[in-house]
Amino acid sequence: MTWKTHLPTVRGKLLIDEPLAPFTWFRVGGPADVVFLPADEQDLSDFLRALDPSVPVMAIGVGSNLLVRDGGVEGVIIRLGKGFNTVEALGDNLIRSGSAVPDAILARKAAEAGIAGLEFYVGVPGTVGGAVIMNAGCYGSETVNVVKSVRVMDRAGVVRELSVEDLHYTYRHSALQDGEPLIVLDAIFEGAPDEPEAIKARMAEITARRETTQPIREKTGGSTFKNPPGHSSWKLVDEAGWRGKPFGGAMFSPLHCNFLINTGEATAADLEGLGETVRADVKAKTGVQLDWEIKRIGRAG
């Protein structure tokens, strides 16, 4: 794999054959051929322009909704961090957020600026980039309701701006998941005016509800399956008998059984194997198809 010995010069960091488990909430998975930690947007653009165009690339945030298989990942994993984590209120109930900003931080910054409508992000694990890509949401609100425009970078290092209409949002899906790989740099969100204290009170309610109903202190990846039309995934998993049932080092949480958890020594194969087993069981018992919400990448071990 000669391209790994001829990587472009960067101002950030290049990590060769780097284990990806520490980069994900599940804490499982094999190594990436290369992990790139760009210093900023220009560093990322220069790297992509100079990198062999045949090398696959994928950007990640904090890995909250990501299952990396045990065999690792081919190509370059781009981990967006410091250079992509600024938040700025723009006036007129608009706020710009970098893609590496945790969703909960965006919610808090919006509240401080008296911008309502983004409270639900305090209950969404992960970062803004992932939320924009997958139309993340909870408790009746979704990204499509508040995002106004998104700046992305293509595989050639070229920046472009997309409107919300360009993203073709549906339930937990956007056009950013299809076609050419595009890296989210930042996004502009629009809310409505309200008193900061009133907004913060609503956020506190969401946080309290989440802490009592979700296993947020476990090694998890958030919601495992999308809700099929007319159904709740957790109910289907529960009724099929999989709440708290061990499968290697994996199980569906006894607290919320749409949350797949690493009980301590799970492999990615345990976690994915449990998910696939449950999908097949639910399909056989109910005829309902469960689709993964968690993104699974890489080679089997």
Side-chain angles (χ1 to χ4, degrees), residues 105-275:
I105 296 297
L106 171 59
R108 293 187 188 108
K109 294 291 186 181
E112 290 167 6
I115 301 172
L118 282 72
E119 295 93 321
F120 72 95
Y121 277 130
V122 80
V124 177
T127 55
V128 166
V132 166
I133 291 169
M134 67 172 291
N135 191 20
C138 63
Y139 305 131
S141 297
E142 295 180 303
T143 298
V144 64
N145 305 136
V146 292
V147 72
K148 191 172 178 65
S149 63
V150 180
R151 284 195 321 126
V152 298
M153 185 178 291
D154 66 20
R155 177 62 179 76
V158 177
V159 177
R160 66 182 85 156
E161 186 164 333
L162 304 175
S163 69
V164 64
E165 292 78 17
D166 294 327
L167 299 173
H168 301 290
Y169 277 124
T170 55
Y171 173 62
R172 298 298 177 265
H173 188 270
S174 77
L176 294 169
Q177 291 165 274
D178 308 320
E180 65 171 318
L182 296 172
I183 299 170
V184 175
L185 302 173
D186 56 34
I188 294 176
F189 299 85
E190 184 173 23
D194 198 0
E195 291 301 317
E197 292 310 311
I199 301 171
K200 290 175 183 177
R202 291 192 292 272
M203 286 167 51
E205 290 175 11
I206 292 171
T207 299
R209 179 176 172 184
R210 183 167 174 251
E211 286 182 346
T212 57
T213 60
Q214 297 178 10
I216 59 174
R217 288 173 180 81
E218 304 280 0
K219 297 174 186 173
T220 185
S223 295
T224 304
F225 304 120
K226 302 175 184 177
N227 287 322
H231 296 274
S232 294
S233 290
W234 75 266
K235 287 185 180 178
L236 293 166
V237 174
D238 195 18
E239 290 167 2
W242 288 97
R243 180 191 291 267
K245 187 175 179 179
F247 186 99
M251 74 164 63
F252 277 92
S253 170
L255 185 61
H256 189 314
C257 48
N258 194 29
F259 279 66
L260 189 59
I261 60 174
N262 174 1
T263 62
E265 299 299 328
T267 63
D270 288 341
L271 292 158
E272 187 169 19
L274 175 55

Side-chain angles (χ1 to χ4, degrees), residues 80-123:
L80 300 179
K82 250 186 182 177
F84 303 83
N85 69 350
T86 58
V87 183
E88 177 188 12
L90 304 175
D92 295 324
N93 303 309
L94 299 175
I95 189 166
R96 179 190 289 117
S97 174
S99 61
V101 173
D103 298 315
I105 296 297
L106 171 59
R108 293 187 188 108
K109 294 291 186 181
E112 290 167 6
I115 301 172
L118 282 72
E119 295 93 321
F120 72 95
Y121 277 130
V122 80

